[in-house]
Amino acid sequence: MGTEKDIVRGYVRYLKLQRNLSGNTLDAYQRDLWKLLDYLEREEKDVRDVTLSDLEHFSAGLHDIGIHPRSQCRILSGIRAFFRFLQLDGYRDDDPTELLESPQIGEHLPEVLSTAEVDQLEASIDLSKWEGHRNRAIIEVLFSCGLRVSELVNLKLSDLYLDEEYVRVMGKGSKERLVPISKRAIQELAFWFDDRCHMQIKPGEEDYVFLNRRGAHLTRTMILIMIKRQAVEAGIQKTISPHTLRHSFATALLEGGADLRIIQALLGHENIGTTEIYTHIDTSILRQEILEHHPRNMKRARN
């Protein structure tokens, strides 16, 4: 039936061809699987003989070494996918993960910036520096289009339809979507392009929208560092990341009355459940409005 290495190679091939996963997601699946395989090697267990009890001990071990519950859930999700593959390809007759429980995680409401705070972030950028207009364009595109940071770093000039005010985005699973882009973001891009046209660009990098000073496209880490540094410059106390601007985009739409299905399409969420977290944010805002403005909560004026 093949060695364990053969099985793993088959699984990776399955993920690439059948699941059409992106490179980053594929790497994450493999890293998580190797955590299990290392554990099974220590226990002298073959993947074809693993029981629910073995997996429960593995899961408990993740907790014991301090892995966050949310990360534990992600790891176990990948493990479930692996055992479904084993069953599908005939390596096993059963799926031992069917009754495997994931750790409970509390509802997490992502940090959000108001439009005024985004303006504050952009206003703090020193435009006398060569990267000033680039960084303003990055922040504005993230906020105006709700892009993932991986989508932003891979954005190409050939993906921009600025006359029609749309950008083409390659999302997770290599799925394309069209996202409207604001006039403000288009203006910031125009300022950046004025600087970009004077750069020495590396061969093969000419089509990338955002470049570093060496003429190569940016990495996710570069953008994370830039935004965190800019938040400090702007005096914003919240802990933010590029993803915060994506959350802020979705929350602003919901507050403005956009339908959740439209937000789902714009964000590129495959499952509406992923988008529904923004209803919790909106509910918290409504609650604050009630506390501040409902007569039952307002302090009565003293005579």
Side-chain angles (χ1 to χ4, degrees), residues 114-296:
S114 67
T115 303
E117 286 173 319
V118 175
D119 289 342
Q120 182 181 339
L121 194 63
E122 293 179 358
S124 69
I125 293 172
D126 184 352
L127 296 180
S128 67
K129 295 182 177 179
W130 82 267
E131 73 272 22
H133 284 301
R134 183 203 66 183
N135 291 350
R136 277 183 68 149
I138 287 171
I139 291 170
E140 190 58 39
V141 169
L142 286 171
F143 179 59
S144 293
C145 301
L147 303 189
R148 299 177 179 94
V149 67
S150 57
E151 294 168 347
L152 183 98
V153 297
N154 288 305
L155 194 64
K156 308 288 198 338
L157 296 175
S158 53
D159 294 325
L160 304 181
Y161 300 89
L162 300 184
D163 290 340
E164 294 82 8
E165 299 182 0
Y166 276 92
V167 296
R168 181 178 59 196
V169 180
M170 185 67 74
K172 287 187 175 180
S174 299
K175 292 182 178 176
E176 286 188 4
R177 67 185 190 276
L178 289 176
V179 180
I181 183 170
S182 69
K183 292 185 185 300
R184 170 77 173 267
I186 292 171
Q187 182 63 68
E188 295 297 347
L189 282 171
F191 289 139
W192 158 235
F193 291 153
D194 285 344
D195 295 335
R196 186 185 181 281
C197 67
H198 298 296
M199 294 183 64
Q200 186 78 30
I201 300 175
K202 284 188 174 182
E205 304 283 296
E206 296 89 351
D207 199 25
Y208 286 97
V209 173
F210 295 110
L211 305 170
N212 62 27
R213 64 174 63 246
R214 294 180 299 278
H217 69 279
L218 296 173
T219 65
R220 294 181 297 171
T221 302
M222 289 174 184
I223 293 180
L224 172 65
I225 291 170
M226 181 274 286
I227 287 179
K228 284 187 172 295
R229 186 177 294 154
Q230 209 57 54
V232 173
E233 290 288 327
I236 293 173
Q237 300 299 314
K238 297 174 180 177
T239 302
I240 70 168
S241 70
H243 216 63
T244 306
L245 292 160
R246 179 169 160 87
H247 290 314
S248 304
F249 162 83
T251 305
L253 285 176
L254 192 65
E255 288 176 27
D259 183 88
L260 204 61
R261 292 284 178 184
I262 299 298
I263 299 174
Q264 177 191 4
L266 291 172
L267 291 173
H269 285 162
E270 188 170 339
N271 192 325
I272 188 67
T274 311
T275 316
E276 282 174 347
I277 190 170
Y278 297 106
T279 64
H280 301 311
I281 299 171
D282 196 48
T283 300
S284 69
I285 293 168
L286 292 175
R287 181 176 181 276
Q288 187 61 36
E289 290 293 303
I290 290 171
L291 289 174
E292 290 183 6
H293 302 297
H294 194 282
R296 291 295 190 202

